[in-house]
Amino acid sequence: MQKQRPKHLDLGKIRLPVPGIVSILHRVSGVALFFSLPLLMYLFAGTLSSAQDFDTFRAIIAYPLMKLVLIGFLWAYLHHFCAGIRFLFLDVHKGLELETARATAKLVLIVSLVLTAILGFLLW
């Protein structure tokens, strides 16, 4: 007997568990961090080369849109860091039970968002 399988997956209707969401966000944040490296290196180089370049750097980051972009990069870093620690524990077979895996995934989301909010508020 053939199984009835959907011909077209509706990704909006598929409910992904929290550990799956954390895993996907870990990958997305890693890609975002990788592609943001040239911008971040340019900004960091501008802070160190001369006083005039430092003033240019301060003018660039004074724009609210740029601040939001940098806060987005901050979230990407914090989420990638927290999820990476979670995955290191999973690699050594700690926290593999279903309830523990769900709890640590929720903790990663909460911690990364709270730290982003706190640091973003302090840096704004």
Side-chain angles (χ1 to χ4, degrees):
M1 182 171 179
Q2 283 187 330
K3 292 183 178 180
Q4 293 291 332
R5 296 186 178 188
K7 294 183 187 209
H8 304 287
L9 291 177
D10 186 2
L11 296 178
K13 291 183 180 179
I14 295 174
R15 188 164 181 263
L16 199 60
V18 176
I21 294 170
V22 168
S23 178
I24 289 172
L25 288 176
H26 180 74
R27 293 173 184 179
V28 168
S29 64
V31 169
L33 289 172
F34 177 76
F35 284 116
S36 69
L37 279 176
L39 173 66
L40 294 175
M41 295 302 287
Y42 169 75
L43 291 174
F44 287 141
T47 63
L48 300 174
S49 57
S50 69
Q52 184 181 15
D53 289 340
F54 182 72
D55 291 336
T56 304
F57 164 77
R58 292 188 67 179
I60 289 172
I61 64 166
Y63 293 110
L65 181 62
M66 189 61 178
K67 287 182 181 182
L68 288 176
V69 168
L70 291 175
I71 288 174
F73 291 150
L74 178 65
W75 169 83
Y77 171 74
L78 291 170
H79 178 81
H80 199 76
F81 180 78
C82 293
I85 291 172
R86 177 181 179 266
F87 289 130
L88 285 174
F89 278 107
L90 292 176
D91 286 344
V92 295
H93 304 286
K94 301 291 182 195
L96 291 177
E97 299 78 26
L98 184 61
E99 289 305 315
T100 307
R102 286 180 179 162
T104 57
K106 289 176 186 176
L107 185 66
V108 164
L109 287 175
I110 292 169
V111 167
S112 65
L113 289 173
V114 167
L115 285 176
T116 301
I118 291 169
L119 292 174
F121 176 75
L122 292 175
L123 295 174
W124 191 272

